[in-house]
Amino acid sequence: MSTKHRTSQKWPVALFTIGVFMAGLDNGIISTALTTINDTFGVSPAWGAWSITLYTLGIAISVPIIGKLSDRFGRKRLFIIEIFLFGIGSLLVALSPSFIFLLAARFIQSIGGGGIFIIGSSHILATLPKGQQGKALGMLGGMNGLAAVIGPNLGAIILGITGTWQWMFLINIPIAIFLIVFGFFKIEETTQSTTKPMDFAGTVLLALGILAFMYGLTNLNSLALFESMMKPSAGPFLLIGIVFFIIFILHERRVEERNGDPIVAYSLLKKRLFQITLILGLLSGGFLAGIIFIPSFVQQVLQVPVEKAGYWLTPMALASGIGAGLGGYLTDKAGAIKTIIYAGFIGVIGFVLFPLWVDSLGPFLIASVLAGIGLGILLGAPLNVLVGECAGSNEEGSALGALSLIRQIGLSLFPTLYAGFVAGAFTNISPVMKAKYGDLGLDHVNGEENYGEVIEQINKITDPKTRLEALDTVSNILKAGFNQMYITAGILALFVMILGVYLSSRKQ
């Protein structure tokens, strides 16, 4: 049953927006509490990082499947189920008696939180007329940028007031209850009944492929990217994942030929517009990954104290929220393809300014805001609208799920590449400093985690002028690594713009 042009969607859009914001907050909040959680359960930082890694894997696995289930069984029903799972997962995290229990609870959280954006976006595409979709999708996209700003700060506030990390997850419970109650009464169901059996084989193939491929990505070594692909913990899993994806596509073609109900329609995967949209989704993941290194850049290149470096993520994150709203407006007025071109153009300028101009906080602010606006425009609405143009009736969820999966792969792959650039610059610190200032005890410095030790050794230099020169030397060495990263991000933005121009030429 379609509700397009029939009923007001203000309440549903508002509820979806709150749900996306709640799920987005969770990522920022746990980053604040990660050390405290590790200390509570007595686990190492490497083992503790699995509370984030497992959440990422759960989202990657769930988004395409939840998208299909929402098309098949109804977006209202799936939204309520997703919120319920996220709320239960949050409660279980807070009550965890052991770290293994916490990991299981985080996985439940990821299954619940991963599909909220997909369900909300597909509901908008299915219910709103085309001229109103961009604004609503922009609101959903803007919540991710806003949550990125508020999450870490809110986590620090809650931790400071309560003195316990459990309350960071307990605050999700009343929000989840509110969304379930009002979702039940205010969201009208959007689905078409089908008697075709569920494609369980396709679901299993896709889940196994995602799990293997994403696990392989998480085990790549940024210092030795290609060498790590040969190791048993990475390369074989990447290959197994690709094999499963190929089998999945062949299986989906067979299911569609037999008039079944595939997870992702093979006819959709064959469309050139959808293929290019998926490439844009992968690039947008790399675009988004550039944000992760902003605090490190501010601390290590601009030499802002570590306790204040995180705040400098705020302008870029806020700009991405503004860009998401702007992208929605432009999509409604100028169309999705032109909006993609604008996003790529602004992104190129923003990222290229880092190596060419940024040497202090003033230029950094301008460059990061431009990069954030370009990112927000791209993530907010245009790609989702393109997916809506590709997908058939009641296939919006599965198509958006595929796009979200590709973006998640980009968001996992490109940070490894970027970290390699920065880590490579670290290997130059020891020989350069030794040649200029003698033995400072930096021979074993080979990674970003040793930055504090580098500064500690430099601070032992008694002559103030020499100490400042040494700090500038380290800053310039590391800037070369960050420059490679931002140039790569700028190239990705350029590819976004080129693909937009290509799509525009095909439309004419």
Side-chain angles (χ1 to χ4, degrees), residues 21-50:
F21 182 67
M22 178 182 68
L25 272 179
D26 192 73
N27 281 330
I29 282 179
I30 195 172
S31 66
T32 305
L34 195 57
T35 301
T36 306
I37 293 173
N38 294 345
D39 291 342
T40 299
F41 295 106
V43 298
S44 67
W47 182 230
W50 273 96

PDB file of all heavy atoms in Angstrom, residues 21-50:
ATOM      1  N   PHE A  21      19.384  10.172  14.791  1.00  0.00           N
ATOM      2  CA  PHE A  21      20.209  10.944  15.718  1.00  0.00           C
ATOM      3  C   PHE A  21      20.617  10.094  16.926  1.00  0.00           C
ATOM      4  O   PHE A  21      21.772  10.116  17.346  1.00  0.00           O
ATOM      5  CB  PHE A  21      19.432  12.174  16.178  1.00  0.00           C
ATOM      6  CG  PHE A  21      20.207  13.073  17.105  1.00  0.00           C
ATOM      7  CD1 PHE A  21      21.307  13.771  16.656  1.00  0.00           C
ATOM      8  CD2 PHE A  21      19.825  13.213  18.428  1.00  0.00           C
ATOM      9  CE1 PHE A  21      22.030  14.600  17.503  1.00  0.00           C
ATOM     10  CE2 PHE A  21      20.533  14.035  19.283  1.00  0.00           C
ATOM     11  CZ  PHE A  21      21.634  14.736  18.824  1.00  0.00           C
ATOM     12  N   MET A  22      19.672   9.320  17.465  1.00  0.00           N
ATOM     13  CA  MET A  22      19.966   8.466  18.614  1.00  0.00           C
ATOM     14  C   MET A  22      21.040   7.437  18.265  1.00  0.00           C
ATOM     15  O   MET A  22      21.996   7.231  19.035  1.00  0.00           O
ATOM     16  CB  MET A  22      18.691   7.760  19.082  1.00  0.00           C
ATOM     17  CG  MET A  22      18.908   6.799  20.246  1.00  0.00           C
ATOM     18  SD  MET A  22      17.395   5.917  20.740  1.00  0.00           S
ATOM     19  CE  MET A  22      17.145   4.866  19.285  1.00  0.00           C
ATOM     20  N   ALA A  23      20.891   6.773  17.117  1.00  0.00           N
ATOM     21  CA  ALA A  23      21.873   5.771  16.714  1.00  0.00           C
ATOM     22  C   ALA A  23      23.232   6.406  16.438  1.00  0.00           C
ATOM     23  O   ALA A  23      24.279   5.829  16.759  1.00  0.00           O
ATOM     24  CB  ALA A  23      21.370   5.026  15.484  1.00  0.00           C
ATOM     25  N   GLY A  24      23.229   7.603  15.853  1.00  0.00           N
ATOM     26  CA  GLY A  24      24.485   8.294  15.575  1.00  0.00           C
ATOM     27  C   GLY A  24      25.209   8.728  16.835  1.00  0.00           C
ATOM     28  O   GLY A  24      26.440   8.701  16.907  1.00  0.00           O
ATOM     29  N   LEU A  25      24.448   9.129  17.845  1.00  0.00           N
ATOM     30  CA  LEU A  25      25.056   9.539  19.114  1.00  0.00           C
ATOM     31  C   LEU A  25      25.855   8.413  19.738  1.00  0.00           C
ATOM     32  O   LEU A  25      26.886   8.648  20.379  1.00  0.00           O
ATOM     33  CB  LEU A  25      23.961   9.963  20.107  1.00  0.00           C
ATOM     34  CG  LEU A  25      23.478  11.414  20.097  1.00  0.00           C
ATOM     35  CD1 LEU A  25      22.394  11.590  21.146  1.00  0.00           C
ATOM     36  CD2 LEU A  25      24.608  12.382  20.337  1.00  0.00           C
ATOM     37  N   ASP A  26      25.382   7.184  19.555  1.00  0.00           N
ATOM     38  CA  ASP A  26      25.983   6.052  20.247  1.00  0.00           C
ATOM     39  C   ASP A  26      27.446   5.868  19.867  1.00  0.00           C
ATOM     40  O   ASP A  26      28.278   5.539  20.716  1.00  0.00           O
ATOM     41  CB  ASP A  26      25.192   4.778  19.935  1.00  0.00           C
ATOM     42  CG  ASP A  26      25.579   3.624  20.835  1.00  0.00           C
ATOM     43  OD1 ASP A  26      25.201   3.658  22.011  1.00  0.00           O
ATOM     44  OD2 ASP A  26      26.271   2.713  20.353  1.00  0.00           O
ATOM     45  N   ASN A  27      27.773   6.090  18.603  1.00  0.00           N
ATOM     46  CA  ASN A  27      29.164   5.934  18.171  1.00  0.00           C
ATOM     47  C   ASN A  27      30.079   6.939  18.860  1.00  0.00           C
ATOM     48  O   ASN A  27      31.178   6.602  19.302  1.00  0.00           O
ATOM     49  CB  ASN A  27      29.262   6.099  16.652  1.00  0.00           C
ATOM     50  CG  ASN A  27      28.831   4.849  15.920  1.00  0.00           C
ATOM     51  OD1 ASN A  27      28.980   3.752  16.418  1.00  0.00           O
ATOM     52  ND2 ASN A  27      28.287   5.024  14.731  1.00  0.00           N
ATOM     53  N   GLY A  28      29.623   8.202  18.947  1.00  0.00           N
ATOM     54  CA  GLY A  28      30.437   9.228  19.592  1.00  0.00           C
ATOM     55  C   GLY A  28      30.542   9.041  21.088  1.00  0.00           C
ATOM     56  O   GLY A  28      31.600   9.271  21.689  1.00  0.00           O
ATOM     57  N   ILE A  29      29.449   8.597  21.701  1.00  0.00           N
ATOM     58  CA  ILE A  29      29.433   8.423  23.148  1.00  0.00           C
ATOM     59  C   ILE A  29      30.406   7.339  23.586  1.00  0.00           C
ATOM     60  O   ILE A  29      31.166   7.515  24.529  1.00  0.00           O
ATOM     61  CB  ILE A  29      27.996   8.103  23.626  1.00  0.00           C
ATOM     62  CG1 ILE A  29      27.152   9.393  23.658  1.00  0.00           C
ATOM     63  CG2 ILE A  29      27.993   7.459  24.996  1.00  0.00           C
ATOM     64  CD1 ILE A  29      25.724   9.178  24.083  1.00  0.00           C
ATOM     65  N   ILE A  30      30.414   6.209  22.882  1.00  0.00           N
ATOM     66  CA  ILE A  30      31.280   5.108  23.324  1.00  0.00           C
ATOM     67  C   ILE A  30      32.747   5.442  23.124  1.00  0.00           C
ATOM     68  O   ILE A  30      33.604   4.948  23.855  1.00  0.00           O
ATOM     69  CB  ILE A  30      30.919   3.789  22.611  1.00  0.00           C
ATOM     70  CG1 ILE A  30      31.557   2.608  23.355  1.00  0.00           C
ATOM     71  CG2 ILE A  30      31.354   3.821  21.152  1.00  0.00           C
ATOM     72  CD1 ILE A  30      31.119   1.254  22.866  1.00  0.00           C
ATOM     73  N   SER A  31      33.069   6.297  22.168  1.00  0.00           N
ATOM     74  CA  SER A  31      34.473   6.678  21.985  1.00  0.00           C
ATOM     75  C   SER A  31      35.000   7.399  23.221  1.00  0.00           C
ATOM     76  O   SER A  31      36.175   7.275  23.572  1.00  0.00           O
ATOM     77  CB  SER A  31      34.628   7.559  20.747  1.00  0.00           C
ATOM     78  OG  SER A  31      33.971   8.804  20.919  1.00  0.00           O
ATOM     79  N   THR A  32      34.117   8.154  23.890  1.00  0.00           N
ATOM     80  CA  THR A  32      34.508   8.855  25.107  1.00  0.00           C
ATOM     81  C   THR A  32      34.764   7.883  26.249  1.00  0.00           C
ATOM     82  O   THR A  32      35.659   8.081  27.074  1.00  0.00           O
ATOM     83  CB  THR A  32      33.408   9.845  25.525  1.00  0.00           C
ATOM     84  OG1 THR A  32      33.127  10.725  24.432  1.00  0.00           O
ATOM     85  CG2 THR A  32      33.836  10.670  26.727  1.00  0.00           C
ATOM     86  N   ALA A  33      33.967   6.811  26.291  1.00  0.00           N
ATOM     87  CA  ALA A  33      34.011   5.892  27.437  1.00  0.00           C
ATOM     88  C   ALA A  33      34.881   4.670  27.205  1.00  0.00           C
ATOM     89  O   ALA A  33      34.971   3.814  28.094  1.00  0.00           O
ATOM     90  CB  ALA A  33      32.591   5.437  27.762  1.00  0.00           C
ATOM     91  N   LEU A  34      35.533   4.566  26.040  1.00  0.00           N
ATOM     92  CA  LEU A  34      36.205   3.325  25.673  1.00  0.00           C
ATOM     93  C   LEU A  34      37.268   2.923  26.697  1.00  0.00           C
ATOM     94  O   LEU A  34      37.331   1.769  27.126  1.00  0.00           O
ATOM     95  CB  LEU A  34      36.829   3.468  24.284  1.00  0.00           C
ATOM     96  CG  LEU A  34      37.261   2.166  23.595  1.00  0.00           C
ATOM     97  CD1 LEU A  34      36.090   1.206  23.476  1.00  0.00           C
ATOM     98  CD2 LEU A  34      37.849   2.474  22.224  1.00  0.00           C
ATOM     99  N   THR A  35      38.099   3.873  27.099  1.00  0.00           N
ATOM    100  CA  THR A  35      39.150   3.562  28.074  1.00  0.00           C
ATOM    101  C   THR A  35      38.556   3.121  29.404  1.00  0.00           C
ATOM    102  O   THR A  35      39.034   2.163  30.027  1.00  0.00           O
ATOM    103  CB  THR A  35      40.058   4.786  28.286  1.00  0.00           C
ATOM    104  OG1 THR A  35      40.646   5.162  27.034  1.00  0.00           O
ATOM    105  CG2 THR A  35      41.165   4.478  29.277  1.00  0.00           C
ATOM    106  N   THR A  36      37.505   3.815  29.829  1.00  0.00           N
ATOM    107  CA  THR A  36      36.850   3.471  31.097  1.00  0.00           C
ATOM    108  C   THR A  36      36.237   2.074  31.036  1.00  0.00           C
ATOM    109  O   THR A  36      36.324   1.301  31.994  1.00  0.00           O
ATOM    110  CB  THR A  36      35.755   4.503  31.425  1.00  0.00           C
ATOM    111  OG1 THR A  36      36.315   5.814  31.403  1.00  0.00           O
ATOM    112  CG2 THR A  36      35.155   4.246  32.797  1.00  0.00           C
ATOM    113  N   ILE A  37      35.613   1.749  29.913  1.00  0.00           N
ATOM    114  CA  ILE A  37      35.012   0.415  29.758  1.00  0.00           C
ATOM    115  C   ILE A  37      36.094  -0.654  29.789  1.00  0.00           C
ATOM    116  O   ILE A  37      35.942  -1.695  30.444  1.00  0.00           O
ATOM    117  CB  ILE A  37      34.213   0.350  28.441  1.00  0.00           C
ATOM    118  CG1 ILE A  37      32.984   1.267  28.511  1.00  0.00           C
ATOM    119  CG2 ILE A  37      33.772  -1.083  28.140  1.00  0.00           C
ATOM    120  CD1 ILE A  37      32.226   1.387  27.205  1.00  0.00           C
ATOM    121  N   ASN A  38      37.197  -0.403  29.095  1.00  0.00           N
ATOM    122  CA  ASN A  38      38.296  -1.370  29.090  1.00  0.00           C
ATOM    123  C   ASN A  38      38.833  -1.602  30.508  1.00  0.00           C
ATOM    124  O   ASN A  38      39.123  -2.739  30.905  1.00  0.00           O
ATOM    125  CB  ASN A  38      39.425  -0.884  28.182  1.00  0.00           C
ATOM    126  CG  ASN A  38      39.017  -0.846  26.721  1.00  0.00           C
ATOM    127  OD1 ASN A  38      38.012  -1.424  26.335  1.00  0.00           O
ATOM    128  ND2 ASN A  38      39.792  -0.148  25.910  1.00  0.00           N
ATOM    129  N   ASP A  39      38.949  -0.523  31.274  1.00  0.00           N
ATOM    130  CA  ASP A  39      39.439  -0.652  32.650  1.00  0.00           C
ATOM    131  C   ASP A  39      38.443  -1.416  33.522  1.00  0.00           C
ATOM    132  O   ASP A  39      38.848  -2.190  34.403  1.00  0.00           O
ATOM    133  CB  ASP A  39      39.696   0.739  33.245  1.00  0.00           C
ATOM    134  CG  ASP A  39      40.872   1.442  32.597  1.00  0.00           C
ATOM    135  OD1 ASP A  39      41.688   0.757  31.947  1.00  0.00           O
ATOM    136  OD2 ASP A  39      40.967   2.681  32.720  1.00  0.00           O
ATOM    137  N   THR A  40      37.143  -1.199  33.282  1.00  0.00           N
ATOM    138  CA  THR A  40      36.122  -1.882  34.076  1.00  0.00           C
ATOM    139  C   THR A  40      36.233  -3.388  33.943  1.00  0.00           C
ATOM    140  O   THR A  40      36.117  -4.132  34.931  1.00  0.00           O
ATOM    141  CB  THR A  40      34.714  -1.435  33.637  1.00  0.00           C
ATOM    142  OG1 THR A  40      34.575  -0.031  33.854  1.00  0.00           O
ATOM    143  CG2 THR A  40      33.627  -2.172  34.416  1.00  0.00           C
ATOM    144  N   PHE A  41      36.463  -3.859  32.719  1.00  0.00           N
ATOM    145  CA  PHE A  41      36.507  -5.302  32.481  1.00  0.00           C
ATOM    146  C   PHE A  41      37.936  -5.852  32.429  1.00  0.00           C
ATOM    147  O   PHE A  41      38.139  -7.049  32.202  1.00  0.00           O
ATOM    148  CB  PHE A  41      35.772  -5.646  31.182  1.00  0.00           C
ATOM    149  CG  PHE A  41      34.304  -5.343  31.230  1.00  0.00           C
ATOM    150  CD1 PHE A  41      33.774  -4.256  30.551  1.00  0.00           C
ATOM    151  CD2 PHE A  41      33.439  -6.136  31.974  1.00  0.00           C
ATOM    152  CE1 PHE A  41      32.423  -3.962  30.599  1.00  0.00           C
ATOM    153  CE2 PHE A  41      32.082  -5.857  32.032  1.00  0.00           C
ATOM    154  CZ  PHE A  41      31.576  -4.767  31.351  1.00  0.00           C
ATOM    155  N   GLY A  42      38.920  -4.970  32.597  1.00  0.00           N
ATOM    156  CA  GLY A  42      40.308  -5.411  32.619  1.00  0.00           C
ATOM    157  C   GLY A  42      40.789  -5.980  31.304  1.00  0.00           C
ATOM    158  O   GLY A  42      41.516  -6.984  31.283  1.00  0.00           O
ATOM    159  N   VAL A  43      40.410  -5.348  30.180  1.00  0.00           N
ATOM    160  CA  VAL A  43      40.837  -5.820  28.865  1.00  0.00           C
ATOM    161  C   VAL A  43      41.807  -4.822  28.256  1.00  0.00           C
ATOM    162  O   VAL A  43      41.813  -3.639  28.597  1.00  0.00           O
ATOM    163  CB  VAL A  43      39.624  -6.030  27.921  1.00  0.00           C
ATOM    164  CG1 VAL A  43      38.699  -7.087  28.485  1.00  0.00           C
ATOM    165  CG2 VAL A  43      38.865  -4.725  27.698  1.00  0.00           C
ATOM    166  N   SER A  44      42.629  -5.297  27.325  1.00  0.00           N
ATOM    167  CA  SER A  44      43.613  -4.448  26.661  1.00  0.00           C
ATOM    168  C   SER A  44      42.925  -3.534  25.655  1.00  0.00           C
ATOM    169  O   SER A  44      41.800  -3.814  25.213  1.00  0.00           O
ATOM    170  CB  SER A  44      44.643  -5.318  25.932  1.00  0.00           C
ATOM    171  OG  SER A  44      44.019  -6.007  24.849  1.00  0.00           O
ATOM    172  N   PRO A  45      43.559  -2.420  25.269  1.00  0.00           N
ATOM    173  CA  PRO A  45      42.977  -1.542  24.254  1.00  0.00           C
ATOM    174  C   PRO A  45      42.672  -2.258  22.938  1.00  0.00           C
ATOM    175  O   PRO A  45      41.658  -1.985  22.298  1.00  0.00           O
ATOM    176  CB  PRO A  45      44.044  -0.457  24.068  1.00  0.00           C
ATOM    177  CG  PRO A  45      44.773  -0.426  25.365  1.00  0.00           C
ATOM    178  CD  PRO A  45      44.791  -1.849  25.852  1.00  0.00           C
ATOM    179  N   ALA A  46      43.564  -3.182  22.534  1.00  0.00           N
ATOM    180  CA  ALA A  46      43.342  -3.917  21.278  1.00  0.00           C
ATOM    181  C   ALA A  46      42.080  -4.779  21.366  1.00  0.00           C
ATOM    182  O   ALA A  46      41.285  -4.835  20.429  1.00  0.00           O
ATOM    183  CB  ALA A  46      44.557  -4.780  20.961  1.00  0.00           C
ATOM    184  N   TRP A  47      41.912  -5.463  22.491  1.00  0.00           N
ATOM    185  CA  TRP A  47      40.724  -6.286  22.691  1.00  0.00           C
ATOM    186  C   TRP A  47      39.493  -5.412  22.892  1.00  0.00           C
ATOM    187  O   TRP A  47      38.410  -5.698  22.396  1.00  0.00           O
ATOM    188  CB  TRP A  47      40.960  -7.211  23.885  1.00  0.00           C
ATOM    189  CG  TRP A  47      39.871  -8.175  24.229  1.00  0.00           C
ATOM    190  CD1 TRP A  47      39.339  -8.366  25.470  1.00  0.00           C
ATOM    191  CD2 TRP A  47      39.184  -9.096  23.380  1.00  0.00           C
ATOM    192  NE1 TRP A  47      38.371  -9.341  25.450  1.00  0.00           N
ATOM    193  CE2 TRP A  47      38.255  -9.802  24.165  1.00  0.00           C
ATOM    194  CE3 TRP A  47      39.257  -9.382  22.017  1.00  0.00           C
ATOM    195  CZ2 TRP A  47      37.415 -10.776  23.648  1.00  0.00           C
ATOM    196  CZ3 TRP A  47      38.413 -10.358  21.495  1.00  0.00           C
ATOM    197  CH2 TRP A  47      37.510 -11.040  22.299  1.00  0.00           C
ATOM    198  N   GLY A  48      39.667  -4.307  23.615  1.00  0.00           N
ATOM    199  CA  GLY A  48      38.551  -3.398  23.862  1.00  0.00           C
ATOM    200  C   GLY A  48      38.022  -2.747  22.597  1.00  0.00           C
ATOM    201  O   GLY A  48      36.841  -2.399  22.517  1.00  0.00           O
ATOM    202  N   ALA A  49      38.897  -2.564  21.593  1.00  0.00           N
ATOM    203  CA  ALA A  49      38.464  -1.937  20.337  1.00  0.00           C
ATOM    204  C   ALA A  49      37.403  -2.767  19.622  1.00  0.00           C
ATOM    205  O   ALA A  49      36.702  -2.249  18.746  1.00  0.00           O
ATOM    206  CB  ALA A  49      39.666  -1.726  19.423  1.00  0.00           C
ATOM    207  N   TRP A  50      37.267  -4.048  20.006  1.00  0.00           N
ATOM    208  CA  TRP A  50      36.247  -4.879  19.380  1.00  0.00           C
ATOM    209  C   TRP A  50      34.828  -4.410  19.704  1.00  0.00           C
ATOM    210  O   TRP A  50      33.879  -4.754  19.000  1.00  0.00           O
ATOM    211  CB  TRP A  50      36.430  -6.343  19.790  1.00  0.00           C
ATOM    212  CG  TRP A  50      37.374  -7.052  18.882  1.00  0.00           C
ATOM    213  CD1 TRP A  50      38.701  -7.260  19.061  1.00  0.00           C
ATOM    214  CD2 TRP A  50      37.060  -7.607  17.592  1.00  0.00           C
ATOM    215  NE1 TRP A  50      39.251  -7.918  17.978  1.00  0.00           N
ATOM    216  CE2 TRP A  50      38.254  -8.150  17.065  1.00  0.00           C
ATOM    217  CE3 TRP A  50      35.886  -7.707  16.844  1.00  0.00           C
ATOM    218  CZ2 TRP A  50      38.306  -8.774  15.821  1.00  0.00           C
ATOM    219  CZ3 TRP A  50      35.940  -8.330  15.604  1.00  0.00           C
ATOM    220  CH2 TRP A  50      37.129  -8.854  15.109  1.00  0.00           C
TER     221      TRP A  50
END
